[in-house]
Amino acid sequence: MAYARTVLGDIADQELGVTLSHEHLICDSRMWLSPPPEDEIGRQLAAAPEPTLDTLWWHRQFPNSNASVLVLDDEATAIAELREFARLGGGTLVELTCAMGRHLSAMRRISAATGVHVVAGTGHYIAASHAPQVATATVPELANAMIADIEHGDSDGTRCGVIGELGMSWPVHPDELKVLRAAAHAQRATGTAISIHTAAHAVDEDSALLAADVLAAEGADLSRVVMGHMDTSLHRPDYHRAALARGCMIQYDLFGHEFFESENDFQSFGDTETVRAVAKLVEDGWADQILLSHDICYKIQLQKYGGYGYGHILRNIVPRLKLCGVPEDVITRILRDNPRRIFAMPGGDGA
């Protein structure tokens, strides 16, 4: 029997239910902090203690210029927000805060309070967030640390159930490639899925294919590799199909990112175009290799601060997929069956 490894113990894979495959509950993304615009309002709002509804218009334009926006650290807020996902029928959240403020005990408390299963990630994000020891560690040492997180867990016995999100910058950093190689070894030892943060801002580069090449060379099972943030490159459908042809899952995980990152001159395509892209992939026969999520990592994505929250896909995107002709049973496959197949592990203790 296959199991999913959650922060509260192993469960049968059938219990996962509707799953968000790339999210954050408690995290620190301040490695992305950028200087604000050189004007009075920019300096003022960049220093604000937190975003408000009155200043949301500015934070949506410059989300990386305010340190508070980049930090999720309130368990009570996380519980309240995640309960809405549960109310709408959600079952599981894959929490990919691997090394940027990962808080396993908080994940346990949030999961227990909401009834939502939480699968925690292990590994290392982009090089800008790496601890100094990553640079000096060997591939086996990095792999063994991931394996220990999966098989033994922290001092409370809280174990991880996915490898990721593993970061890729562009140009890719040598230490990021080393982490990818280690992840392949850890996957071979544990059977765990790997989730990749592709170089989301390098929209014209083949970062997913580079990651696939590195992982495959080390013996990874590419059918259990998730290429995240692929919705930043919707203008390159051939690139997406190349990743699919290698057996990878592709993940559209920026639903609700209806804002512009002026610091990076980067704009997501938005929900309308992403829904159309999903419908086209379904039409072309790729439904079994698609995952959907929100990648909530900014405060302004939470309902409390004027965002859509963790319930956005179930509340707003599912009806739009139906309007684009995606059958209900296919939507169920994408939201429930695909995650169940990818995030399940062989064996388990059934705890």
Side-chain angles (χ1 to χ4, degrees):
M1 181 176 291
Y3 289 84
R5 180 146 292 166
T6 80
V7 295
L8 294 180
D10 289 357
I11 61 172
D13 60 338
Q14 298 97 321
E15 297 180 49
L16 288 173
V18 171
T19 299
L20 298 176
S21 54
H22 187 129
E23 302 294 345
H24 304 274
L25 295 168
I26 303 292
C27 73
D28 185 342
S29 300
R30 283 177 292 180
M31 74 289 297
W32 292 109
L33 188 63
S34 303
E38 287 299 323
D39 57 47
E40 183 176 352
I41 190 66
R43 289 189 293 271
Q44 176 186 344
L45 294 183
E50 68 175 7
T52 68
L53 294 181
D54 289 339
T55 61
L56 183 58
W57 62 272
W58 188 88
H59 293 296
R60 281 178 170 163
Q61 190 75 7
F62 301 98
N64 299 303
S65 292
N66 177 285
S68 173
V69 169
L70 294 167
V71 177
L72 302 179
D73 59 0
D74 188 328
E75 288 184 41
T77 296
I79 288 168
E81 298 271 338
L82 196 56
R83 279 178 174 155
E84 178 64 7
F85 172 61
R87 186 188 70 80
L88 292 166
T92 298
L93 178 145
V94 180
E95 218 285 10
L96 290 175
T97 306
C98 51
M100 55 282 199
R102 187 181 69 183
H103 198 322
L104 291 175
S105 58
M107 291 185 208
R108 287 178 60 91
R109 291 189 291 269
I110 294 166
S111 180
T114 61
V116 174
H117 302 300
V118 175
V119 177
T122 181
H124 300 278
Y125 189 46
I126 61 171
S129 71
H130 286 181
Q133 56 265 34
V134 175
T136 57
T138 65
V139 167
E141 287 170 343
L142 291 171
N144 288 338
M146 296 179 200
I147 294 168
D149 272 355
I150 294 164
E151 295 186 343
H152 305 294
D154 65 3
S155 58
D156 294 326
T158 304
R159 296 180 291 181
C160 296
V162 62
I163 301 168
E165 63 181 299
L166 306 183
M168 294 188 72
S169 307
W170 202 267
V172 66
H173 192 283
D175 288 342
E176 294 168 348
L177 296 176
K178 182 168 63 172
V179 168
L180 288 177
R181 293 196 293 271
H185 293 216
Q187 186 203 58
R188 290 170 57 192
T190 63
T192 312
I194 298 172
S195 187
I196 304 296
H197 165 97
T198 61
H201 297 108
V203 297
D204 293 316
E205 305 296 343
D206 295 343
S207 60
L209 304 185
L210 173 60
D213 288 344
V214 173
L215 291 167
E218 299 291 333
D221 178 359
L222 294 186
S223 71
R224 295 178 58 74
V225 172
V226 180
M227 296 299 176
H229 311 324
M230 296 296 281
D231 27 9
T232 68
S233 54
L234 294 181
H235 63 299
R236 303 178 60 214
D238 289 346
Y239 167 50
H240 291 206
R241 282 157 178 75
L244 290 164
R246 297 191 188 196
C248 301
M249 304 293 292
I250 67 169
Q251 184 170 258
Y252 295 151
D253 51 37
L254 299 180
F255 281 104
H257 278 240
E258 302 286 353
F259 47 82
F260 181 69
E261 295 183 30
S262 291
E263 306 96 342
N264 302 307
D265 292 328
F266 171 75
Q267 177 171 284
S268 173
F269 279 86
D271 290 352
T272 298
E273 291 302 314
T274 307
V275 165
R276 289 173 179 164
V278 172
K280 178 59 175 170
L281 285 179
V282 169
E283 180 184 334
D284 292 346
W286 298 104
D288 291 339
Q289 287 174 248
I290 302 171
L291 295 172
L292 307 180
S293 209
H294 311 101
D295 188 18
I296 290 178
C297 55
Y298 294 108
K299 277 190 176 75
I300 59 174
Q301 293 171 267
L302 300 173
Q303 289 179 285
K304 177 178 178 178
Y305 297 96
Y308 288 112
Y310 300 103
H312 179 49
I313 287 174
L314 289 178
R315 184 190 303 107
N316 302 320
I317 299 304
V318 166
R320 293 167 72 171
L321 288 168
K322 292 178 181 177
L323 285 174
C324 280
V326 181
E328 188 166 356
D329 66 311
V330 175
I331 295 172
T332 298
R333 281 162 55 194
I334 292 171
L335 292 177
R336 186 190 66 192
D337 299 339
N338 290 356
R340 172 185 169 186
R341 185 178 73 253
I342 295 304
F343 297 111
M345 299 169 59
D349 58 24

